[in-house]
Amino acid sequence: MKNKKFPRIKSKLILAPMAGVTNVAFRILCKKLGAGICYTEFFHTDALKKSDVFDVVNDERPVVTQIFGNDENKLFEAAKSLVGKTDVIDLNIGCPAPKVIGLGSGAALLKDLDKVESILKKMNTLNVPISCKIRLGINEKKIVALELAKIADKYCCAIAVHARTLEQGYSGKADWSYIRKIKENVSIPVIGNGDINKVEDVKKMFDETGCDYVMIGRRAMKDPFFFRRANHYLKTGEVLPEESFEEKMELLVEYLQLCKKYNCFEPNNFKLLFIQFSRGYRNSSKLRVEISRIKKFDELLLKVRELC
Ligand SMILES: Cc1cc2nc3c(=O)[nH]c(=O)nc-3n(C[C@H](O)[C@H](O)[C@H](O)COP(=O)(O)O)c2cc1C
């Protein structure tokens, strides 16, 4: 493939991969609200053999599909099965979940950079751009991010850096200085990630690290409108007010409609989103209880419509 570059995208803001969140419906909403590109949830190499798991649709492309696993051949085969169906295939080298690490995948790969090199090298023989998403290392005494980034520089079209260690999980502070160090040492685009909470943080990350793109996870899960406000802030310096509860509920109606269209409705994922979207608003705990009692899709849609 001649052009194995990261896709050209309209905004420098990227939706992070989030298991149980970034399904096709959520990705389409974030793209519409200003995400330049979205990552899928991570797919295990074995899961991809089932036909109903991979959920990318042409309308949302370009898109990044993330995979995880430990076996080089299985990762290669999984990636091969996605050629032509996605725009970038991303290797997860950062998931801290015990189930994932127990299989030697996700952040466990931070312990074996030779293996990572071998996996990326092989994946890169495919006719599709490859990327990876990393953490800094196992803990602060075993930081491997720079070494890993130099490997990625040889085979990948981009690298996303969640600036925490495996042992930090999702707590503590992300150390953006490593994103800067990586940016200074590689030629591929660097995607900075970790601790973006306010629109001002996006500019701060660009300014402090020189990264090419900023990836947003938990903030987008609570508030996909964040992409629109952050793009506006980057353009104008103006901080727009957050959207109202009613506007957020309208977005949830749209989410449910997309779930129906793409057959991807998962009650638990919806409940999680409802909790995130409604947090901090009046009566939200009472509403959460009401929502969690509703079992039928159409009743749920009706209820959320009433809240708009
Ligand atoms: C619910 C949830 C699910 C996640 N799933 C994935 C995943 O599948 N793959 C991955 O690389 N990172 C995953 N992450 C990590 C995020 O992509 C991101 O790196 C992390 O949340 C830090 O960014 P933030 O501070 O903007 O949230 C997940 C995070 C959350 C909160």
Side-chain angles (χ1 to χ4, degrees):
M1 193 182 197
K2 272 190 197 143
N3 183 4
K4 297 235 299 179
K5 291 205 166 105
F6 194 70
R8 285 169 70 95
I9 53 180
K10 289 188 195 126
S11 152
K12 288 185 175 295
L13 308 182
I14 294 180
L15 174 67
M18 286 182 282
V21 180
T22 61
N23 64 9
V24 56
F26 195 79
R27 296 194 302 270
I28 286 176
L29 289 183
C30 289
K31 193 95 182 260
K32 185 179 125 181
L33 289 169
I37 199 166
C38 303
Y39 279 54
T40 66
E41 308 174 66
F42 64 173
F43 299 116
H44 189 257
T45 48
D46 292 343
L48 275 172
K49 289 182 191 148
K50 295 184 216 140
S51 61
D52 59 342
V53 168
F54 178 70
D55 66 346
V56 166
V57 296
N58 277 337
D59 289 355
E60 62 168 324
R61 291 178 69 177
V63 68
V64 182
T65 298
Q66 191 184 63
I67 60 175
F68 75 105
N70 161 270
D71 183 291
E72 180 178 322
N73 291 323
K74 283 188 179 179
L75 282 161
F76 176 77
E77 289 304 323
K80 194 170 158 193
S81 75
L82 299 175
V83 173
K85 299 179 187 167
T86 187
D87 302 279
V88 179
I89 299 177
D90 184 79
L91 177 66
N92 179 306
I93 317 181
C95 180
K99 260 201 298 195
V100 173
I101 296 185
L103 298 170
S105 50
L109 288 173
L110 293 166
K111 292 181 193 157
D112 191 349
L113 300 197
D114 289 342
K115 182 165 191 168
V116 171
E117 173 146 21
S118 178
I119 293 169
L120 292 175
K121 189 174 179 183
K122 188 158 178 171
M123 281 170 64
N124 191 37
T125 60
L126 292 165
N127 204 10
V128 62
I130 301 301
S131 65
C132 60
K133 178 166 175 282
I134 70 167
R135 282 188 179 240
L136 301 181
I138 298 296
N139 56 42
E140 60 183 15
K141 293 195 187 100
K142 293 184 189 144
I143 300 287
V144 295
L146 189 55
E147 208 183 325
L148 184 47
K150 286 180 182 168
I151 293 170
D153 204 22
K154 293 195 252 176
Y155 311 107
C156 293
C157 70
I159 181 169
V161 184
H162 177 191
R164 282 193 175 80
T165 64
L166 161 64
E167 285 183 7
Q168 275 182 291
Y170 290 95
S171 58
K173 229 173 113 67
D175 186 344
W176 294 355
S177 69
Y178 287 103
I179 301 174
R180 191 188 65 237
K181 244 175 246 162
I182 289 171
K183 177 62 196 168
E184 285 165 358
N185 281 279
V186 299
S187 58
I188 52 174
V190 174
I191 304 166
N193 173 232
D195 286 353
I196 298 291
N197 293 307
K198 305 193 295 280
V199 292
E200 294 96 318
D201 295 337
V202 174
K203 181 165 186 316
K204 200 162 163 237
M205 185 184 266
F206 279 127
D207 290 347
E208 284 184 14
T209 70
C211 66
D212 301 273
Y213 303 97
V214 167
M215 175 181 267
I216 301 147
R218 288 163 294 178
R219 179 71 218 196
M221 170 168 72
K222 292 180 198 132
D223 172 20
F225 291 110
F226 185 82
F227 288 108
R228 193 164 74 186
R229 296 198 309 275
N231 278 324
H232 181 82
Y233 179 76
L234 289 177
K235 228 189 260 168
T236 65
E238 182 190 12
V239 180
L240 294 173
E242 262 195 51
E243 284 67 14
S244 65
F245 177 78
E246 288 75 16
E247 281 169 290
K248 286 192 171 176
M249 293 302 114
E250 274 168 31
L251 199 65
L252 274 185
V253 167
E254 214 177 324
Y255 174 81
L256 284 170
Q257 287 164 337
L258 286 165
C259 285
K260 192 168 185 182
K261 178 170 177 188
Y262 294 111
N263 199 17
C264 65
F265 177 67
E266 286 283 345
N268 288 337
N269 294 355
F270 178 77
K271 275 174 212 158
L272 173 72
L273 270 195
F274 188 84
I275 291 170
Q276 299 293 340
F277 277 43
S278 60
R279 184 162 284 153
Y281 290 98
R282 211 156 53 91
N283 283 338
S284 60
S285 47
K286 191 172 147 247
L287 282 174
R288 273 179 234 146
V289 175
E290 279 177 41
I291 288 282
S292 67
R293 288 201 182 120
I294 301 176
K295 300 282 176 260
K296 291 197 180 127
F297 179 89
D298 289 340
E299 283 173 28
L300 200 56
L301 187 55
L302 210 63
K303 175 73 197 170
V304 183
R305 269 205 184 113
E306 278 171 18
L307 300 173
C308 293

